[in-house]
Amino acid sequence: MNFDIIDNLKLDNEGMAQAIAQEIEHILAQGGADSSRLAQEVAQSPDDASTWFDLGVALTADAEMLDYLMVQKYRMEHPGTEIDGDTPYADPEAKARVYEKAQRCFAKVLELEPEYYGVQYQQGLLYANLRNYAQAEKCFLQALQDDPEDFSSAHALAMVYQDMGDEERCNHYLDLAERLSAEG
């Protein structure tokens, strides 16, 4: 969606909410531009782990874009309303379906190349976004086992522990992430 064009049209809240709803439907039906293109590439090269990985990352970005668009649509439909984590603006089932597609891509990568770098981190992000903290923890710990210098995985794991309410482990992995980042 080209938001510059929409801004230039000076759509009212209802018109903007409709435009955002159309973009949400487009992503749900066909995916974003990158995931659509990569899905075609996967169809042409089904044994290319890199393309599967890139598709999984693009689908994860699609799910995050859905969340953003859903918040914006809610704001257009409910001007002046505060939005918090419990506001029923989002469609968690729609996002979960996109994340499931991404997870299938990452599973295919591991099937093709079991040691493919970055898959555990990406899966950890996916599970963290789904609030499946046990799986996210498992993935980030595996990512750190695969690469003990991966400060991004250490930081993401700290955030998982923060969300789980485990401040001690959160602080441990924040310190580790800071040390690793300074060394790198």
Short mmCIF file of all heavy atoms in Angstrom, two decimals, residues 35 53-67 95 98-103 105-106 122-123 125-127 129:
data_model
loop_
_atom_site.label_atom_id
_atom_site.label_comp_id
_atom_site.label_asym_id
_atom_site.label_seq_id
_atom_site.Cartn_x
_atom_site.Cartn_y
_atom_site.Cartn_z
N SER A 35 6.61 -11.64 0.17
CA SER A 35 6.20 -13.03 0.36
C SER A 35 5.55 -13.59 -0.91
O SER A 35 5.74 -14.77 -1.23
CB SER A 35 5.29 -13.19 1.58
OG SER A 35 4.13 -12.42 1.45
N PHE A 53 13.89 -19.92 3.61
CA PHE A 53 14.19 -19.09 4.77
C PHE A 53 13.69 -17.66 4.54
O PHE A 53 13.02 -17.08 5.39
CB PHE A 53 15.70 -19.09 5.04
CG PHE A 53 16.10 -18.23 6.20
CD1 PHE A 53 16.02 -18.71 7.50
CD2 PHE A 53 16.59 -16.94 6.01
CE1 PHE A 53 16.40 -17.93 8.59
CE2 PHE A 53 16.97 -16.16 7.08
CZ PHE A 53 16.88 -16.65 8.37
N ASP A 54 14.02 -17.11 3.37
CA ASP A 54 13.59 -15.74 3.05
C ASP A 54 12.08 -15.62 3.04
O ASP A 54 11.53 -14.61 3.50
CB ASP A 54 14.17 -15.30 1.71
CG ASP A 54 15.68 -15.12 1.74
OD1 ASP A 54 16.27 -15.06 2.85
OD2 ASP A 54 16.28 -15.06 0.64
N LEU A 55 11.40 -16.65 2.54
CA LEU A 55 9.93 -16.64 2.55
C LEU A 55 9.40 -16.64 3.98
O LEU A 55 8.47 -15.91 4.31
CB LEU A 55 9.36 -17.82 1.75
CG LEU A 55 7.84 -17.94 1.72
CD1 LEU A 55 7.17 -16.68 1.20
CD2 LEU A 55 7.43 -19.17 0.90
N GLY A 56 10.00 -17.45 4.84
CA GLY A 56 9.59 -17.46 6.25
C GLY A 56 9.75 -16.11 6.91
O GLY A 56 8.88 -15.63 7.64
N VAL A 57 10.88 -15.45 6.62
CA VAL A 57 11.12 -14.11 7.17
C VAL A 57 10.10 -13.12 6.62
O VAL A 57 9.55 -12.29 7.35
CB VAL A 57 12.57 -13.65 6.89
CG1 VAL A 57 12.77 -12.19 7.27
CG2 VAL A 57 13.57 -14.54 7.63
N ALA A 58 9.82 -13.21 5.31
CA ALA A 58 8.84 -12.29 4.70
C ALA A 58 7.45 -12.52 5.27
O ALA A 58 6.70 -11.55 5.50
CB ALA A 58 8.83 -12.48 3.18
N LEU A 59 7.08 -13.76 5.51
CA LEU A 59 5.77 -14.03 6.10
C LEU A 59 5.69 -13.51 7.53
O LEU A 59 4.64 -12.99 7.96
CB LEU A 59 5.47 -15.53 6.05
CG LEU A 59 5.13 -16.07 4.67
CD1 LEU A 59 5.21 -17.59 4.65
CD2 LEU A 59 3.75 -15.59 4.22
N THR A 60 6.78 -13.62 8.27
CA THR A 60 6.82 -13.05 9.61
C THR A 60 6.61 -11.54 9.55
O THR A 60 5.86 -10.97 10.35
CB THR A 60 8.16 -13.40 10.31
OG1 THR A 60 8.28 -14.83 10.39
CG2 THR A 60 8.22 -12.82 11.70
N ALA A 61 7.25 -10.90 8.57
CA ALA A 61 7.05 -9.46 8.38
C ALA A 61 5.60 -9.15 8.00
O ALA A 61 5.04 -8.15 8.44
CB ALA A 61 8.01 -8.93 7.31
N ASP A 62 4.99 -10.02 7.19
CA ASP A 62 3.57 -9.84 6.85
C ASP A 62 2.70 -9.86 8.11
O ASP A 62 1.80 -9.04 8.26
CB ASP A 62 3.09 -10.95 5.91
CG ASP A 62 3.56 -10.79 4.47
OD1 ASP A 62 4.16 -9.76 4.14
OD2 ASP A 62 3.31 -11.74 3.69
N ALA A 63 2.98 -10.81 9.01
CA ALA A 63 2.20 -10.90 10.24
C ALA A 63 2.37 -9.64 11.09
O ALA A 63 1.40 -9.13 11.66
CB ALA A 63 2.59 -12.14 11.03
N GLU A 64 3.58 -9.13 11.15
CA GLU A 64 3.83 -7.90 11.90
C GLU A 64 3.14 -6.72 11.25
O GLU A 64 2.61 -5.83 11.93
CB GLU A 64 5.33 -7.68 12.05
CG GLU A 64 5.98 -8.72 12.93
CD GLU A 64 7.50 -8.75 12.86
OE1 GLU A 64 8.10 -7.92 12.13
OE2 GLU A 64 8.09 -9.62 13.51
N MET A 65 3.13 -6.69 9.92
CA MET A 65 2.43 -5.61 9.19
C MET A 65 0.93 -5.70 9.45
O MET A 65 0.26 -4.67 9.60
CB MET A 65 2.73 -5.69 7.70
CG MET A 65 2.00 -4.61 6.89
SD MET A 65 2.31 -2.91 7.42
CE MET A 65 3.91 -2.63 6.74
N LEU A 66 0.40 -6.92 9.49
CA LEU A 66 -1.02 -7.08 9.81
C LEU A 66 -1.35 -6.46 11.15
O LEU A 66 -2.35 -5.75 11.29
CB LEU A 66 -1.42 -8.56 9.82
CG LEU A 66 -1.63 -9.23 8.49
CD1 LEU A 66 -1.84 -10.73 8.69
CD2 LEU A 66 -2.80 -8.61 7.75
N ASP A 67 -0.51 -6.73 12.13
CA ASP A 67 -0.73 -6.17 13.46
C ASP A 67 -0.73 -4.65 13.41
O ASP A 67 -1.62 -4.00 13.95
CB ASP A 67 0.34 -6.68 14.43
CG ASP A 67 -0.01 -6.41 15.87
OD1 ASP A 67 -1.19 -6.61 16.25
OD2 ASP A 67 0.88 -6.01 16.63
N LYS A 95 -3.34 -13.50 12.17
CA LYS A 95 -1.89 -13.43 12.33
C LYS A 95 -1.31 -14.82 12.56
O LYS A 95 -0.26 -15.15 12.00
CB LYS A 95 -1.52 -12.53 13.50
CG LYS A 95 -1.64 -11.07 13.20
CD LYS A 95 -1.13 -10.16 14.29
CE LYS A 95 -0.77 -10.79 15.59
NZ LYS A 95 -0.38 -9.88 16.64
N VAL A 98 -0.75 -16.71 9.38
CA VAL A 98 0.44 -16.25 8.65
C VAL A 98 1.70 -16.77 9.33
O VAL A 98 2.63 -17.25 8.68
CB VAL A 98 0.45 -14.71 8.52
CG1 VAL A 98 1.72 -14.23 7.81
CG2 VAL A 98 -0.79 -14.22 7.77
N TYR A 99 1.73 -16.71 10.66
CA TYR A 99 2.88 -17.24 11.39
C TYR A 99 3.03 -18.75 11.16
O TYR A 99 4.15 -19.26 11.08
CB TYR A 99 2.77 -16.95 12.89
CG TYR A 99 3.19 -15.57 13.29
CD1 TYR A 99 2.36 -14.77 14.07
CD2 TYR A 99 4.44 -15.05 12.93
CE1 TYR A 99 2.76 -13.49 14.47
CE2 TYR A 99 4.83 -13.78 13.32
CZ TYR A 99 3.99 -13.01 14.09
OH TYR A 99 4.39 -11.76 14.48
N GLU A 100 1.92 -19.47 11.06
CA GLU A 100 1.99 -20.91 10.79
C GLU A 100 2.61 -21.17 9.42
O GLU A 100 3.40 -22.12 9.26
CB GLU A 100 0.60 -21.54 10.87
CG GLU A 100 0.08 -21.66 12.29
CD GLU A 100 -1.40 -22.04 12.35
OE1 GLU A 100 -1.99 -22.40 11.31
OE2 GLU A 100 -1.96 -21.95 13.46
N LYS A 101 2.29 -20.34 8.44
CA LYS A 101 2.92 -20.47 7.12
C LYS A 101 4.43 -20.25 7.25
O LYS A 101 5.22 -20.98 6.65
CB LYS A 101 2.34 -19.46 6.13
CG LYS A 101 0.94 -19.75 5.68
CD LYS A 101 0.48 -18.65 4.71
CE LYS A 101 -0.96 -18.76 4.34
NZ LYS A 101 -1.38 -17.65 3.45
N ALA A 102 4.81 -19.24 8.02
CA ALA A 102 6.24 -18.95 8.22
C ALA A 102 6.91 -20.13 8.91
O ALA A 102 8.01 -20.54 8.52
CB ALA A 102 6.41 -17.67 9.04
N GLN A 103 6.24 -20.70 9.90
CA GLN A 103 6.81 -21.84 10.63
C GLN A 103 7.01 -23.03 9.69
O GLN A 103 8.02 -23.73 9.77
CB GLN A 103 5.93 -22.22 11.82
CG GLN A 103 6.44 -23.42 12.60
CD GLN A 103 7.88 -23.29 13.04
OE1 GLN A 103 8.35 -22.22 13.40
NE2 GLN A 103 8.62 -24.39 13.01
N CYS A 105 7.68 -22.84 6.58
CA CYS A 105 8.86 -22.50 5.78
C CYS A 105 10.14 -22.82 6.55
O CYS A 105 11.08 -23.42 5.99
CB CYS A 105 8.85 -21.02 5.40
SG CYS A 105 7.56 -20.58 4.22
N PHE A 106 10.19 -22.43 7.81
CA PHE A 106 11.39 -22.69 8.61
C PHE A 106 11.59 -24.20 8.81
O PHE A 106 12.73 -24.68 8.81
CB PHE A 106 11.33 -21.95 9.94
CG PHE A 106 11.34 -20.45 9.79
CD1 PHE A 106 10.47 -19.65 10.52
CD2 PHE A 106 12.22 -19.82 8.92
CE1 PHE A 106 10.48 -18.26 10.39
CE2 PHE A 106 12.24 -18.44 8.77
CZ PHE A 106 11.37 -17.66 9.52
N GLN A 122 14.96 -16.94 14.09
CA GLN A 122 13.71 -16.54 13.44
C GLN A 122 12.51 -17.27 14.03
O GLN A 122 11.45 -16.67 14.25
CB GLN A 122 13.78 -16.77 11.92
CG GLN A 122 14.71 -15.83 11.21
CD GLN A 122 14.28 -14.38 11.31
OE1 GLN A 122 13.10 -14.05 11.32
NE2 GLN A 122 15.25 -13.48 11.41
N GLN A 123 12.67 -18.55 14.31
CA GLN A 123 11.58 -19.29 14.96
C GLN A 123 11.31 -18.75 16.35
O GLN A 123 10.16 -18.66 16.78
CB GLN A 123 11.92 -20.78 15.04
CG GLN A 123 11.84 -21.49 13.73
CD GLN A 123 12.10 -22.98 13.88
OE1 GLN A 123 12.26 -23.51 14.97
NE2 GLN A 123 12.13 -23.67 12.76
N LEU A 125 11.69 -15.67 17.34
CA LEU A 125 10.91 -14.44 17.18
C LEU A 125 9.45 -14.75 16.89
O LEU A 125 8.54 -14.11 17.44
CB LEU A 125 11.49 -13.59 16.05
CG LEU A 125 12.86 -12.97 16.27
CD1 LEU A 125 13.32 -12.24 15.01
CD2 LEU A 125 12.86 -12.03 17.46
N LEU A 126 9.25 -15.71 16.02
CA LEU A 126 7.89 -16.10 15.65
C LEU A 126 7.11 -16.55 16.89
O LEU A 126 6.00 -16.09 17.14
CB LEU A 126 7.99 -17.22 14.61
CG LEU A 126 6.74 -17.75 13.99
CD1 LEU A 126 7.05 -18.18 12.55
CD2 LEU A 126 6.21 -18.93 14.74
N TYR A 127 7.71 -17.46 17.66
CA TYR A 127 7.02 -17.96 18.86
C TYR A 127 6.83 -16.86 19.91
O TYR A 127 5.80 -16.83 20.59
CB TYR A 127 7.77 -19.15 19.46
CG TYR A 127 7.61 -20.41 18.65
CD1 TYR A 127 8.72 -21.08 18.15
CD2 TYR A 127 6.35 -20.93 18.36
CE1 TYR A 127 8.58 -22.23 17.41
CE2 TYR A 127 6.20 -22.08 17.61
CZ TYR A 127 7.32 -22.73 17.14
OH TYR A 127 7.18 -23.87 16.40
N ASN A 129 6.34 -13.72 19.28
CA ASN A 129 5.21 -12.91 18.80
C ASN A 129 3.88 -13.60 19.03
O ASN A 129 2.86 -12.93 19.21
CB ASN A 129 5.39 -12.57 17.32
CG ASN A 129 6.45 -11.52 17.10
OD1 ASN A 129 6.66 -10.65 17.93
ND2 ASN A 129 7.14 -11.61 15.98
#
